[in-house]
Amino acid sequence: MSLNKGKIWFDGKLVDWQDAKIHVLSHVVHYGSSIFEGIRCYNTEKGPAIFRLEAHIDRLYDSAKIYRMDIPFTKEEFLNACVEVVKINKFKECYIRPVVFRGYGELGVNPLKNPINCAVAAWEWGAYLGKEALEKGASVHVSSWRRPAPDTFPALAKAGGNYLNSQLIKMEAINSGYDEAIVLDVYGYVSEASGENIFIIKNGVIFTPPTGSSILAGITRHTVFSIARDMDMRIEQHSIPRESLYIADEVFLTGTAAEVTPVSKIDKIIIGTGKCGEVTKKLQTQYFNLIKGKTKDKYNWLTYVK
Ligand code: PPE
C-alpha cells in the first residue's frame, strides 16, 4: 500500500496529507475510542465507482450509535466527503477509510467530555491477502485467540478497540507462517477471521456463522448473500463447529479489503481439491463483475465519481 500523498478530509475541510494530525493526549490514543469503515473504489468503464458507499456510511453511524458518539456531520455530508476524497486525489482505484474518534479534551475513561473528530483518507491498496491467495487460496489456521464474548465488545460495531483482538490473531498467524486465521467465538463455534467473514460450502449448500457468533456484519458478506440468491444457490446462517472447516468442500473469506478469497488449507489440512472451488469461483467472478460495473447494477451499489 502506498501512503503519504494528496488530501485528507478532516472535520469538514480538505487538508494536506501531512497536516491531518491529532494531539498525543487525544482520548482515542489512550482508550481506542474510534469507529471506522473501509470502502473500495474500483475503476469501471464509466470511471471510478465506490462500491456500497451508502451501506458503509449506514454501518458507520450504527457503530457511532452503539458507542454513544454524536457525529457532527450528516450521513450525506460524510458520503460526499468520501466522494470528494477520491475526486480531489484523482484516484481511479483506492481504499477509502472514514474514521470517527474521541479527540483532545479530557483524559480518563469517561469519553463524554471529548470532541468527536472525523476524517476520510484514501490510498491505493492491492490484494489484501496477496494476489496468489486471491487466485489459488489462502493458507490459514485456527487461532488460539477467541473473538470477544457477546457481552464484552459489541462485534457489530466496527470499533478501533476491537482490532486489538484482531491484531493478536493476525500476529500469531503471520508468525506461525499462515496468511490469516479463523477465530472461534466464546462458545467454540466458528466466528470470522481477523478482518474477514467466513463461508463454508458442503454438498452444494453455503453456510456462514450468524451475527450472534461475534462477527462483524460484513457488507461483502451481505453482497455474497445477494449474489448467491440471484444464482439460486442455497445459503444458510447457523453455528459452525470447528471440525466442519476441515471437512468442507470449499471455504472462502469475504471482506472489502479481501474481496472473495478462497481458503486452500486450514491447520495444514487441504480443503476440498486444495484449489479455488467451483462455487467460490462462481461467486468470486460475479463479485468482480459487480464491483467493476460489468454486470447490471440492479441494486444501485455503485456510486460513480464524476
Ligand atoms: N470482519 C472483520 C473483523 C473485519 O474487519 C471486516 C472488514 C469484515 C469482517 C468484513 O466486512 P466488510 O468489509 O464489510 O465486508 N475488514 C476491513 C479492514 C481491513 C484492515 O486491515 O483494516 C476491510 O476489509 O476493509
Side-chain angles (χ1 to χ4, degrees):
M1 88 192 226
S2 63
L3 287 173
N4 197 18
K5 56 174 182 194
K7 301 265 186 202
I8 290 175
W9 181 91
F10 194 14
D11 287 331
K13 292 193 191 85
L14 286 162
V15 302
D16 285 335
W17 188 283
Q18 61 274 13
D19 295 331
K21 288 183 183 157
I22 60 165
H23 198 277
V24 289
L25 295 183
S26 299
H27 197 270
V28 62
V29 177
H30 300 255
Y31 307 109
S33 27
S34 70
I35 54 159
F36 67 100
E37 275 303 319
I39 313 171
R40 274 196 194 265
C41 173
Y42 293 96
N43 196 15
T44 74
E45 270 178 8
K46 288 193 267 171
I50 305 174
F51 188 62
R52 304 208 61 180
L53 176 58
E54 245 171 82
H56 282 282
I57 298 299
D58 283 345
R59 189 172 65 187
L60 183 74
Y61 279 72
D62 284 349
S63 300
K65 190 169 188 187
I66 293 168
Y67 279 101
R68 300 172 192 267
M69 291 168 135
D70 281 324
I71 300 181
F73 295 95
T74 63
K75 279 190 184 180
E76 203 187 340
E77 287 169 326
F78 232 108
L79 210 135
N80 289 338
C82 294
V83 175
E84 197 50 46
V85 165
V86 175
K87 205 191 285 182
I88 193 126
N89 292 305
K90 299 189 171 65
F91 280 120
K92 287 203 171 73
E93 292 206 320
C94 62
Y95 183 83
I96 309 165
R97 170 56 55 83
V99 60
V100 175
F101 57 93
R102 306 252 188 208
Y104 176 75
E106 204 167 295
L107 284 182
V109 169
N110 176 12
L112 297 171
K113 288 185 182 154
N114 293 288
I116 300 287
N117 297 115
C118 305
V120 181
W123 60 85
E124 280 161 4
W125 212 0
Y128 191 57
L129 298 175
K131 208 166 172 280
E132 199 176 314
L134 201 58
E135 283 160 21
K136 296 187 183 145
S139 167
V140 310
H141 75 152
V142 175
S143 186
S144 71
W145 296 98
R146 296 281 182 103
R147 293 306 280 177
D151 52 354
T152 59
F153 290 90
L156 293 182
K158 192 168 170 68
N162 290 2
Y163 287 82
L164 281 171
N165 174 255
S166 288
Q167 287 174 53
L168 292 169
I169 294 158
K170 192 76 186 188
M171 288 189 287
E172 184 190 48
I174 298 296
N175 285 332
S176 313
Y178 298 98
D179 300 317
E180 180 53 294
I182 296 164
V183 201
L184 306 180
D185 68 12
V186 73
Y187 307 109
Y189 292 109
V190 174
S191 173
E192 58 178 353
S194 76
E196 303 92 351
N197 291 114
I198 186 168
F199 289 77
I200 69 170
I201 298 153
K202 183 77 176 171
N203 299 329
V205 183
I206 309 167
F207 299 93
T208 196
T211 49
S213 290
S214 298
I215 65 162
L216 179 71
I219 288 158
T220 320
R221 175 180 180 271
H222 180 267
T223 302
V224 165
F225 287 174
S226 300
I227 294 175
R229 225 191 297 118
D230 288 348
M231 289 167 54
D232 287 326
M233 292 177 179
R234 213 167 111 204
I235 194 152
E236 288 180 15
Q237 297 180 58
H238 53 72
S239 306
I240 297 175
R242 174 178 182 163
E243 64 276 20
S244 308
L245 297 171
Y246 306 127
I247 57 175
D249 300 326
E250 300 179 30
V251 175
F252 65 91
L253 304 174
T254 65
T256 299
E259 301 166 316
V260 176
T261 300
V263 172
S264 55
K265 279 188 245 165
I266 303 175
D267 292 332
K268 303 196 172 141
I269 297 176
I270 292 173
I271 305 307
T273 60
K275 297 188 187 118
C276 178
E278 219 175 284
V279 179
T280 307
K281 190 74 206 169
K282 270 190 200 162
L283 294 167
Q284 191 193 51
T285 304
Q286 185 55 14
Y287 185 75
F288 285 139
N289 285 340
L290 253 178
I291 58 178
K292 290 275 194 175
K294 287 185 185 158
T295 43
K296 194 172 176 289
D297 181 21
K298 68 174 185 178
Y299 302 108
N300 276 324
W301 281 342
L302 297 174
T303 302
Y304 288 95
V305 179
K306 298 240 165 66

